[in-house]
Amino acid sequence: MIRFFLSRLLQAMPVIFIVITATFFLIRSAPGGPFDADKVVSQEVIERLNERYNLDAPIHQQYFDYLSHLIRGDFGPSFRYTNRSVTEMIGAGLPITFELAIYAIMIALIIGISAGMLAAVRPNTAQDYIPMSLAMTGICMPSFLLGPLLVLVFGIWLQWLPVSGWGYSPGDKILPAITLGSTYAAYIARLTRGGMLEVLNQDYIRTAKAKGLSTSKIIFKHALRGGLAPVVAFLGPAIAGLLAGSFVVETIFQIPGLGRFYVQAAFNRDYTMIMGTTILLSCLIVFLNMLSDLLAVWLNPRLTLDAKH
Amino acid sequence: MVFETRSILAQLATDTRDIMELLNVNNLSIAFDTRDGKTQAVDNISFNVQQGETLGIVGESGSGKSVSCYALMGLIDKPPGHIERGKALFHNVDLLSADEKTMRGIRGKRISMIFQDPMTALNPYLSVGAQIIEPLLLHEDVSRNLAKQKALTLLEEVGINDAASRYYQYPHELSGGMRQRVVIAMALITEPELLIADEPTTALDVTIQAQILELIKDLQQRRNIAVIFISHDLDVIRYMTDRTLVMEQGRIVEHGQSQTVFNSPNHSYTKKLLASIPQQAKPVKFKYTPKKNSPLLSVNNVSISYADRSSRFQAVNNVSLKLAKGEILGLVGESGCGKTTLSQSIVKLINIDRGEILLGELSLHKLNTSELKQARKNVQMIFQDPYASLNPRMTVFNTLAEPLKIHRLAESSDIKKKVLNLMADVGLDPCWANKYPHEFSGGQRQRIAIARALAVEPQLIIADEPVSALDVTIQAQILELLLTLCQQRQLTMIFISHDLAVVRYIADRTAVMNQGKIVELNATETLYQEPTHSYTQQLLSAKLSG
């Protein structure tokens, strides 16, 4: 176990280092800078700003300065919001995005696994075609279309749920969570169906049937664990993707989460903010992938941690 | 008066028959919907099973022997399957028309099954203990603790030592034979009246097979349960059963006491089946007399090991052998003995740790890439599974033309003629050249694989279990073909098999491998008649005869 964590950590370090380096130089090679604005600002002001944010130093110097701060856990000040540090802003946005992601993935798992199981039990019948067509629609439908559509139906026509906000009025978390979760529900439904179909064709399912077990017992006791293996493998990257991809939903529903900061930072050339969120997300991806590997080992007695890495 | 006595006697006879008869299958027909229309899998068969007897059902793949028994258990998927008609009375319940709830009460409780492949029949995600007690907990009102006690006793009974620790292990931690014992324990824990065993030893090594068969026979007698024993292996059926049904294409072509069926078969198909068993020694016309020329292949003190994370596994341990041109060497041994590893090192699919392999004058493991390509042309392989070893997206023509092109063995104008000749040589109709592998039967596919190996005119052929996946009548044809080709083309062959009878039929000399070593190597008949090594003796005595 410890060996597994250590080896994963060793593998992750160069990955994250490359992400940091690439991001650092890429954002600086893009045209424009943090203090380019529509307003004409005097040369003197620009120079003083550059000096204050260490932008007048040669680029390699900036890079090493940034790294040395980073090692001490300092993400630096935001270039856009005076007197606010990146750490502070991430600290404010992350919990909200995290909460949204948890709701979304829960919705995705519940809907996706049940739909996939229904489909797998009676393949090539209406019970298969209907949920799978819905899943295909779910995959094809981008959240910037689904979100406003849901708002239109449930918020404006039916007036059941609030149209935006996060924690201001009861029920305002429902629509964003559904919007964000639906694409993943669709993927999970398809993965569950595929995994379950494969397992249900195994000889040991026939053995279970020959023991006199009912269909539901066969599915839940004998098939589900193996059938969910693809879903488990998908879960790590999915949650990370959910966090990174939440900006659309956050924008639609006016949620003050991390995703919105991320996008705004890119538009504003808020260098430190971009760096901070990118590093955070890449760490999360590495961590969540490790978690889903651990889960896969726990589910499947044939795998051991040693054999996984 | 006389009349009365007679009718009483007749009445008695029916009564006893009623008591004795456990299962009565009447006019059973099963069909499957396929893309090409309806396939009649079982065609109007009737049979019965008496209490405490063993009924054998023998036949080749597709004969309907398994399907009819799955139908009794309600294990056929409908659709595509249909039970067209028939009755199967088991204690006055018709197994074919009973509702699902009734069937669940019978399956696993009164009728149990043992399946062919213990590797796949057990759920890899659950401990063996949990799987063994599952039917007991399901059908009977017992506590988990009591069920465990019963399972442990039963595990001891089926020959598993330290049952208490095995109980918590997962299937992948057990050997094949051990898993089959677990499957048997699982089937017997509810004390069923009827046990259906579907090829229970086909996936096992010969010594393990003998042990498992002995175990089933023993348990059957001790518990007086009826057994339906399905197998394609005539020797196994003869050894195990009281009565035998012979099935061909969904019909029962012969039935009777096993002794009678095997000793004086009536139906032509039964005769053909029995004649296909390679029991005798190599036919005289194919005998090879060794000449005193230098060997074609010399394997000198070869050792091969696999490195594991924690240990090294010695797969081949200091093996030497020589093969003269035109000779067929049989290589027998159980799974894991190193026979396949050794053969793969001869085509340099695997590197050797120590020793030397000489093909003619060439030292195989010292060649550079282009020399190796040339040398590989001279050694060709034929694999066990003709389904897996042919590319499904290439026609027969392309499959056979490819090696000719790679090794530039024919002008492009000649290729067609060469391929068609090759097909004729292995008994394939040349007009099938543009068909794909899936359009052929197993035997025909193996012929394609043989033709592909012959295409480059190799000196040495390595055949790794080339007939184990084939039905016995097809197996006989392929063996005959191999012998003929070897003789015509002066081919040298290493024939690897776990099947002792097959090796005896085809090989001039036989090497027995055990745990990476050749324990005995001798002229085939000498080895079979006077085995000197204890392992060879053990192997030969495990083989079922008569």
Side-chain angles (χ1 to χ4, degrees):
Chain A
M1 191 77 165
I2 291 163
R3 217 173 123 177
F4 171 78
F5 277 115
L6 283 180
S7 81
R8 270 311 180 82
L9 212 60
L10 278 176
Q11 283 172 26
M13 298 234 273
V15 172
I16 290 172
F17 177 74
I18 290 168
V19 168
I20 294 170
T21 312
T23 319
F24 187 91
F25 290 105
L26 273 175
I27 48 178
R28 274 167 177 76
S29 66
F35 308 116
D36 296 346
D38 301 335
K39 284 182 290 182
V40 182
V41 191
S42 73
Q43 190 62 31
E44 196 185 342
V45 174
I46 298 269
E47 269 170 22
R48 284 189 49 194
L49 278 170
N50 280 345
E51 196 189 325
R52 179 172 166 194
Y53 290 106
N54 195 24
L55 286 170
D56 53 350
I59 191 154
H60 63 269
Q61 188 60 45
Q62 289 182 36
Y63 175 65
F64 290 117
D65 285 347
Y66 183 76
L67 282 187
S68 75
H69 280 108
L70 195 60
I71 286 166
R72 282 172 267 153
D74 177 12
F75 283 102
S78 167
F79 283 14
R80 186 71 183 183
Y81 302 96
T82 347
N83 299 327
R84 291 191 71 183
S85 75
V86 170
T87 318
E88 204 181 302
M89 287 172 68
I90 288 177
L94 187 64
I96 293 173
T97 302
F98 216 75
E99 194 186 344
L100 174 61
I102 296 286
Y103 295 151
I105 202 73
M106 268 160 49
I107 288 173
L109 282 174
I110 291 166
I111 297 177
I113 291 178
S114 357
M117 269 167 48
L118 276 179
V121 174
R122 290 189 206 290
N124 305 322
T125 61
Q127 193 178 323
D128 179 15
Y129 293 141
I130 294 169
M132 284 306 117
S133 318
L134 281 175
M136 207 59 224
T137 322
I139 290 173
C140 297
M141 179 112 69
S143 47
F144 57 79
L145 179 63
L146 183 65
L149 219 59
L150 288 175
V151 167
L152 191 68
V153 175
F154 294 99
I156 296 172
W157 291 348
L158 297 172
Q159 305 232 327
W160 288 353
L161 295 166
V163 296
S164 72
W166 188 257
Y168 303 129
S169 48
D172 63 358
K173 295 180 180 177
I174 295 175
L175 287 184
I178 292 176
T179 311
L180 187 57
S182 66
T183 307
Y184 291 90
Y187 273 113
I188 289 172
R190 294 188 68 83
L191 287 173
T192 309
R193 177 181 183 269
M196 287 296 280
L197 270 183
E198 202 188 312
V199 170
L200 287 174
N201 277 321
Q202 296 289 319
D203 285 353
Y204 62 82
I205 298 300
R206 191 182 58 193
T207 310
K209 228 186 231 172
K211 284 178 178 174
L213 291 170
S214 62
T215 310
S216 62
K217 271 212 169 125
I218 290 174
I219 289 172
F220 285 103
K221 198 169 167 196
H222 284 269
L224 200 57
R225 241 170 117 173
L228 287 186
V231 177
V232 171
F234 172 68
L235 223 49
I239 297 176
L242 217 62
L243 288 168
S246 63
F247 69 89
V248 178
V249 175
E250 289 178 7
T251 310
I252 296 170
F253 292 96
Q254 301 289 312
I255 299 167
L258 191 65
R260 274 178 79 200
F261 288 153
Y262 199 11
V263 180
Q264 281 166 8
F267 284 127
N268 294 336
R269 300 281 191 279
D270 190 344
Y271 290 167
T272 42
M273 189 66 198
I274 297 176
M275 291 298 298
T277 34
T278 307
I279 292 167
L280 180 78
L281 282 173
S282 42
C283 290
L284 268 173
I285 289 174
V286 169
F287 175 72
L288 288 168
N289 271 315
M290 184 169 77
L291 222 56
S292 89
D293 281 353
L294 273 179
L295 193 59
V297 171
W298 177 70
L299 279 173
N300 188 346
R302 280 173 301 183
L303 297 177
T304 58
L305 287 175
D306 274 350
K308 273 297 281 189
H309 54 85
Chain B
M1 191 62 191
V2 175
F3 179 77
E4 232 179 284
T5 323
R6 214 179 256 170
S7 77
I8 289 168
L9 277 177
Q11 185 62 43
L12 266 175
T14 29
D15 282 353
T16 37
R17 203 185 68 209
D18 281 348
I19 296 165
M20 292 293 289
E21 190 171 87
L22 189 63
L23 174 74
N24 187 320
V25 178
N26 219 328
N27 299 326
L28 173 63
S29 288
I30 305 167
F32 284 89
D33 293 329
T34 64
R35 248 175 237 163
D36 314 320
K38 196 183 81 168
T39 309
Q40 194 74 40
V42 175
D43 189 3
N44 200 19
I45 64 167
S46 302
F47 63 91
N48 58 24
V49 181
Q50 313 290 322
Q51 270 171 20
E53 78 161 342
T54 304
L55 175 74
I57 306 183
V58 68
E60 297 185 292
S61 46
S63 62
K65 56 190 192 305
S66 296
V67 173
S68 40
C69 289
Y70 284 0
L72 301 179
M73 290 286 274
L75 291 179
I76 290 181
D77 287 329
K78 297 175 242 178
H82 303 282
I83 292 173
E84 296 187 318
R85 64 200 186 99
K87 266 193 185 330
L89 286 179
F90 176 79
H91 290 289
N92 295 322
V93 178
D94 180 11
L95 298 174
L96 303 175
S97 62
D99 60 71
E100 184 56 25
K101 195 160 169 275
T102 316
M103 282 309 289
R104 282 214 301 270
I106 292 175
R107 280 202 289 258
K109 165 70 184 144
R110 307 181 70 177
I111 308 179
S112 292
M113 273 193 96
I114 307 173
F115 298 95
Q116 171 169 357
D117 192 347
M119 302 289 164
T120 58
L122 289 169
N123 189 331
Y125 297 98
L126 299 173
S127 69
V128 294
Q131 297 188 59
I132 292 172
I133 60 170
E134 195 175 23
L136 196 61
L137 295 178
L138 184 74
H139 295 290
E140 282 167 39
D141 190 20
V142 291
S143 70
R144 192 163 267 275
N145 219 343
L146 205 72
K148 188 188 162 187
Q149 286 316 314
K150 201 166 173 192
L152 291 179
T153 323
L154 196 56
L155 279 174
E156 302 274 354
E157 196 180 339
V158 300
I160 289 186
N161 303 325
D162 54 2
S165 66
R166 296 291 183 196
Y167 187 85
Y168 293 104
Q169 287 189 317
Y170 288 90
H172 70 274
E173 297 172 274
L174 307 180
S175 69
M178 202 99 89
R179 283 184 229 195
Q180 197 60 301
R181 287 172 200 269
V182 168
V183 172
I184 292 170
M186 196 163 78
L188 292 181
I189 196 159
T190 51
E191 292 169 17
E193 296 152 79
L194 176 63
L195 180 69
I196 299 175
D198 183 14
E199 306 260 10
T201 57
T202 308
L204 304 174
D205 276 331
V206 51
T207 50
I208 311 292
Q209 162 170 302
Q211 292 165 12
I212 297 286
L213 291 178
E214 208 52 57
L215 174 69
I216 294 176
K217 219 174 180 177
D218 183 50
L219 291 167
Q220 185 255 340
Q221 278 161 7
R222 221 170 332 141
R223 293 165 172 250
N224 196 33
I225 41 180
V227 176
I228 300 181
F229 198 102
I230 306 167
S231 182
H232 72 286
D233 188 326
L234 296 149
D235 285 334
V236 169
I237 291 282
R238 190 204 309 237
Y239 178 71
M240 289 296 288
T241 63
D242 303 313
R243 285 191 303 135
T244 299
L245 310 175
V246 182
M247 285 189 75
E248 185 199 12
Q249 294 178 355
R251 280 186 288 267
I252 295 176
V253 296
E254 184 154 359
H255 63 103
Q257 297 297 317
S258 299
Q259 286 309 319
T260 324
V261 170
F262 284 100
N263 293 337
S264 45
N266 272 323
H267 194 272
S268 59
Y269 179 72
T270 318
K271 288 178 187 161
K272 186 176 149 202
L273 272 184
L274 286 166
S276 303
I277 307 179
Q279 272 172 334
Q280 63 289 67
K282 189 167 181 169
V284 180
K285 61 172 174 168
F286 293 120
K287 276 265 155 51
Y288 167 80
T289 34
K291 298 170 195 75
K292 283 216 171 90
N293 46 13
S294 60
L296 177 77
L297 176 79
S298 329
V299 173
N300 298 329
N301 307 99
V302 164
S303 292
I304 302 166
S305 63
Y306 295 113
D308 201 334
R309 191 165 282 273
S310 50
S311 61
R312 283 190 89 74
F313 172 67
Q314 195 72 34
V316 175
N317 192 354
N318 201 17
V319 163
S320 302
L321 53 87
K322 282 186 171 31
L323 230 74
K325 188 171 167 54
E327 190 180 27
I328 300 176
L329 176 78
L331 197 53
V332 292
E334 299 187 293
S335 46
C337 72
K339 55 191 195 299
T340 294
T341 306
L342 177 66
S343 70
Q344 289 184 344
S345 72
I346 295 170
V347 277
K348 211 176 173 244
L349 289 171
I350 291 177
N351 284 322
I352 56 176
D353 296 346
R354 267 188 313 111
E356 189 183 35
I357 296 175
L358 290 171
L359 189 65
E361 301 291 306
L362 292 173
S363 176
L364 215 52
H365 288 255
K366 285 181 189 147
L367 301 178
N368 64 32
T369 320
S370 67
E371 288 167 335
L372 185 66
K373 186 182 163 191
Q374 190 58 34
R376 276 210 178 121
K377 180 183 86 67
N378 290 324
V379 187
Q380 289 295 313
M381 290 199 80
I382 301 169
F383 297 96
Q384 170 172 2
D385 189 352
Y387 294 77
S389 63
L390 292 170
N391 185 337
R393 287 177 188 80
M394 278 167 79
T395 61
V396 179
F397 184 86
N398 289 335
T399 302
L400 298 182
E402 187 183 54
L404 294 175
K405 288 176 190 159
I406 291 176
H407 294 287
R408 294 196 190 85
L409 289 174
E411 298 297 315
S412 44
S413 52
D414 276 355
I415 283 182
K416 188 165 183 203
K417 201 177 115 217
K418 275 208 152 182
V419 168
L420 296 184
N421 279 340
L422 211 52
M423 287 183 71
D425 284 352
V426 296
L428 290 167
D429 190 335
C431 69
W432 294 334
N434 288 321
K435 287 191 174 191
Y436 288 89
H438 72 266
E439 297 175 80
F440 293 92
S441 68
Q444 287 168 337
R445 281 184 238 208
Q446 200 57 294
R447 285 174 195 267
I448 300 171
I450 292 169
R452 179 178 59 184
L454 292 178
V456 295
E457 291 166 14
Q459 297 170 311
L460 175 66
I461 289 204
I462 298 174
D464 191 353
E465 302 268 10
V467 294
S468 339
L470 304 174
D471 278 327
V472 55
T473 51
I474 311 295
Q475 172 177 310
Q477 292 165 12
I478 297 290
L479 289 176
E480 182 81 21
L481 173 70
L482 283 173
L483 279 175
T484 314
L485 289 169
C486 280
Q487 195 175 47
Q488 279 172 359
R489 295 170 177 241
Q490 276 293 296
L491 280 171
T492 315
M493 181 158 73
I494 298 180
F495 188 97
I496 301 167
S497 182
H498 70 284
D499 188 330
L500 295 154
V502 166
V503 170
R504 184 176 192 175
Y505 178 74
I506 199 163
D508 300 304
R509 283 191 306 147
T510 298
V512 179
M513 274 190 90
N514 184 29
Q515 297 180 347
K517 285 184 179 154
I518 290 185
V519 295
E520 190 162 357
L521 171 58
N522 214 335
T524 302
E525 273 315 299
T526 321
L527 184 127
Y528 275 72
Q529 282 164 15
E530 298 150 27
T532 53
H533 194 276
S534 61
Y535 179 74
T536 317
Q537 288 161 354
Q538 192 191 331
L539 266 187
L540 288 169
S541 65
K543 192 187 155 303
L544 307 162
S545 42

